[in-house]
Amino acid sequence: MNHFSFKFQYVRVAWYVIGGFLVSALFVFLAVIFDIVILPVMLTAMFAPMITAIWIAVKKGKARDSITLDNNGFSSAYYGQVDFTDIKTISGPNIWVQTPIAMIMKLHSGRKLIWALSDKSSLYNSTEDVRVFKDFAEALAKKMDLYYENPGTGTNTTGEASGGSDAHS
């Protein structure tokens, strides 16, 4: 069994920032509609929701995971138990994801597991976390390849791939 512990950024907190901007826009709109064009009120209406949303996003965006790989899947302290048969696809970052190191795992149940890291030391992870995450991704790929060569055992006894899922490619 392989064990990996690393910190990462929980990317779904971006909704807090979007909400903060929308609330700011609403407050400014209401201030203009009700003719409350007083500079301190306008500045407070603009910046208080945005600053609060950014603070919440930074606070809740810090995540830590501890993963143990076995022959049939992995156990994640953050996402729970995942069997290889539960995985539909695994992909990396796309043009909308700003962090260059990420893994997006879609499960057959519709759940998405997302690990996103910055390649440099940041507020969310260190360079050591990046190294551990890359080791996890490599070990996961090897374990999944072994699993799909001989499902259920994690070892190859026939030398032939038995097919299975597009997730391990």
Side-chain angles (χ1 to χ4, degrees):
M1 279 198 248
N2 300 330
H3 185 76
F4 306 91
S5 292
F6 55 89
K7 291 183 259 179
F8 65 100
Q9 180 179 359
Y10 181 64
V11 295
R12 292 191 177 149
V13 296
W15 288 107
Y16 288 109
V17 176
I18 292 168
F21 284 112
L22 291 175
V23 169
S24 292
L26 176 66
F27 284 174
V28 170
F29 176 75
L30 291 174
V32 170
I33 291 293
F34 292 111
D35 200 25
I36 308 172
V37 188
I38 303 167
L39 186 60
V41 172
M42 293 295 284
L43 290 175
T44 302
M46 285 174 39
F47 292 114
M50 287 190 289
I51 291 169
T52 303
I54 290 169
W55 180 78
I56 290 170
V58 167
K59 195 83 168 151
K60 291 187 177 244
K62 296 177 184 178
R64 176 185 302 267
D65 206 351
S66 184
I67 298 172
T68 304
L69 280 172
D70 61 34
N71 291 335
N72 297 314
F74 63 89
S75 177
S76 164
Y78 197 82
Y79 291 112
Q81 180 67 34
V82 177
D83 293 331
F84 293 144
T85 56
D86 295 338
I87 300 171
K88 184 177 180 181
T89 60
I90 298 176
S91 59
N94 60 34
I95 61 171
W96 298 107
V97 178
Q98 302 242 340
T99 55
I101 301 164
M103 182 185 299
I104 302 165
M105 189 178 292
K106 293 180 184 174
L107 305 182
H108 290 289
S109 66
R111 279 183 62 202
K112 275 188 195 177
L113 315 183
I114 303 171
W115 295 274
L117 292 85
S118 173
D119 59 343
K120 299 175 186 169
S121 187
S122 72
L123 182 63
Y124 300 102
N125 62 270
S126 68
T127 52
E128 176 65 14
D129 293 319
V130 172
R131 185 194 62 73
V132 172
F133 179 77
K134 286 180 177 179
D135 290 347
F136 158 66
E138 185 177 311
L140 177 66
K142 287 179 183 177
K143 286 280 189 181
M144 288 186 75
D145 285 344
L146 284 173
Y147 178 83
Y148 284 105
E149 286 175 6
N150 192 9
T153 66
T155 58
N156 181 6
T157 56
T158 63
E160 294 182 24
S162 62
S165 170
D166 59 347
H168 69 286
S169 49

